[in-house]
Amino acid sequence: MKKKLLFFIALCIVGISPAWAQQDPQYSMYMFNGLLVNPAYAGSRELVSVTALGRYQWVGIDGSPKTATFSIHGPSRNEKSGFGLNVYNDRLGFTNQTAANAMYAYRLELGPGILSLGLQGGALLHNNRWQDAVTINPDAGAPATSTTAILPMAGTGAYYYGERFYLGAAIPNFIPNKYKNPNSVNGSVASRQKMHLFATAGVVIPLGEDLDLKPSVMMKYTQNAPIEFDFNAAMLFKKVLWVGASYRTGDALVFMSEYVFKNQFRLGYAYDLTLTPLRTYNSGSHEIMLGLDLGWNKSRIKTPRYF
């Protein structure tokens, strides 16, 4: 039953049928590394920031999504620009995607904050191992071998932030790449990539000398799929420990924490409790994050860094 369920999910995502689903990787701790969803975030931490993140989704379902991400970004010496690089590998069943994007952000002071306008570009290596697909009955029309495609990626975003607030919007990839039908003699299109729009906002509210509250929200939209919201709230204790929770509409409850060591090292963990009918088949999702902040000099490193 689990493999049948997985195959149906995979069909929706890789596009053998005309069904549409969210095609970009999903993250629960995006608020600790905005570069995952917005190229304009590059350089906004005012130092060189390195982050690695691993996500194991829907534990207990064979071939469930697994995502690994590495990112690095920082400002230019004159702080007018930001640069970044994000690389990820995303697996679901017999589908494997590896992508790399380089980011550039131009920053200017505007009112009480900084407005950053970002661009990103790169490539996606998309591979389907059709021979690994499990079907209820053998399908003579199903491809018998792997298919691979290298697809271009280009995206843009805007990010406006101050010491205790941020607003952002981004389209990580606006190129409508086409997936060809591997059994078609004339190269007919099986499906297309759809643009994903992400909008984010957050604020930090001081509640005392050693206590801060950070509510935030993210909206995700893609054509022919329901609009999804992440509503988040996190408490910061003693300027080093974040503890929070999120509600992802129609999907999951998320519990998360991040601890900052010596003003530089960051360790984060998130657990997703599935709320959909999939909860019958899995024991939740796990996400772990490791981060390192490196300043041009020691005076640049400070705690806390809210965003």
Side-chain angles (χ1 to χ4, degrees):
M1 179 63 184
K2 292 180 180 180
K3 289 185 178 180
K4 295 176 185 178
L5 176 66
L6 170 64
F7 185 66
F8 172 76
I9 297 169
L11 287 182
C12 292
I13 293 179
V14 303
I16 283 297
S17 74
W20 298 109
Q22 182 158 319
Q23 298 162 319
D24 287 358
Q26 178 171 271
Y27 306 100
S28 291
M29 291 191 289
Y30 67 89
M31 70 287 293
F32 295 124
N33 182 17
L35 201 69
L36 296 175
V37 297
N38 193 338
Y41 185 81
S44 64
R45 290 181 68 86
E46 312 304 336
L47 39 68
V48 177
S49 185
V50 182
T51 306
L53 183 147
R55 179 176 175 84
Y56 187 1
Q57 188 167 326
W58 300 335
V59 175
I61 295 180
D62 293 342
S64 60
K66 299 176 181 66
T67 306
T69 300
F70 172 83
S71 62
I72 181 171
H73 69 103
S76 61
R77 289 282 185 174
N78 62 13
E79 301 184 357
K80 292 183 178 180
S81 301
F83 299 89
L85 174 68
N86 186 55
V87 180
Y88 71 80
N89 176 259
D90 189 48
R91 297 170 179 261
L92 170 58
F94 51 82
T95 298
N96 187 351
Q97 297 189 117
T98 300
N101 278 291
M103 290 91 166
Y104 170 78
Y106 177 76
R107 309 192 303 162
L108 63 155
E109 293 186 10
L110 182 64
I114 295 175
L115 176 62
S116 179
L117 304 175
L119 295 171
Q120 70 178 26
L124 170 72
L125 176 64
H126 182 96
N127 175 259
N128 286 323
R129 292 180 53 85
W130 300 108
Q131 65 271 29
D132 293 343
V134 178
T135 59
I136 298 175
N137 297 305
D139 185 355
T145 60
S146 298
T147 57
T148 300
I150 299 177
L151 307 171
M153 301 180 72
T156 186
Y159 186 65
Y160 183 60
Y161 65 99
E163 183 179 356
R164 290 183 174 269
F165 72 90
Y166 70 90
L167 298 167
I171 299 175
N173 183 32
F174 51 70
I175 299 178
N177 289 309
K178 302 176 182 178
Y179 296 105
K180 299 296 182 64
N181 187 335
N183 282 345
S184 173
V185 295
N186 60 358
S188 64
V189 176
S191 67
R192 293 177 173 84
Q193 283 184 315
K194 291 293 183 177
M195 290 193 304
H196 292 63
L197 170 65
F198 296 85
T200 56
V203 64
V204 173
I205 304 169
L207 300 180
E209 183 177 352
D210 294 319
L211 187 63
D212 296 277
L213 171 65
K214 183 175 75 171
S216 61
V217 63
M218 178 168 72
M219 183 202 75
K220 293 176 280 188
Y221 169 77
T222 186
Q223 185 179 351
N224 298 330
I227 296 177
E228 187 175 276
F229 289 89
D230 279 22
F231 298 101
N232 319 290
M235 300 293 293
L236 176 61
F237 300 93
K238 300 288 186 180
K239 308 301 183 185
V240 295
L241 175 63
W242 288 102
V243 178
S246 300
Y247 171 64
R248 185 177 303 124
T249 54
D251 185 15
L253 284 175
V254 182
F255 306 94
M256 68 188 73
S257 180
E258 183 194 57
Y259 188 78
V260 182
F261 302 86
K262 298 184 181 297
N263 297 355
Q264 291 181 269
F265 300 96
R266 294 174 286 119
L267 174 63
Y269 171 76
Y271 173 74
D272 295 18
L273 178 64
T274 307
L275 300 179
T276 69
L278 278 177
R279 64 181 179 274
T280 305
Y281 307 98
N282 77 92
S283 57
S285 305
H286 301 274
E287 198 169 291
I288 189 166
M289 181 189 70
L290 296 173
L292 174 64
D293 292 333
L294 301 170
W296 298 119
N297 53 62
K298 290 293 183 180
S299 65
R300 297 293 300 277
I301 300 173
K302 65 179 182 179
T303 297
R305 310 200 75 85
Y306 295 115
F307 314 116

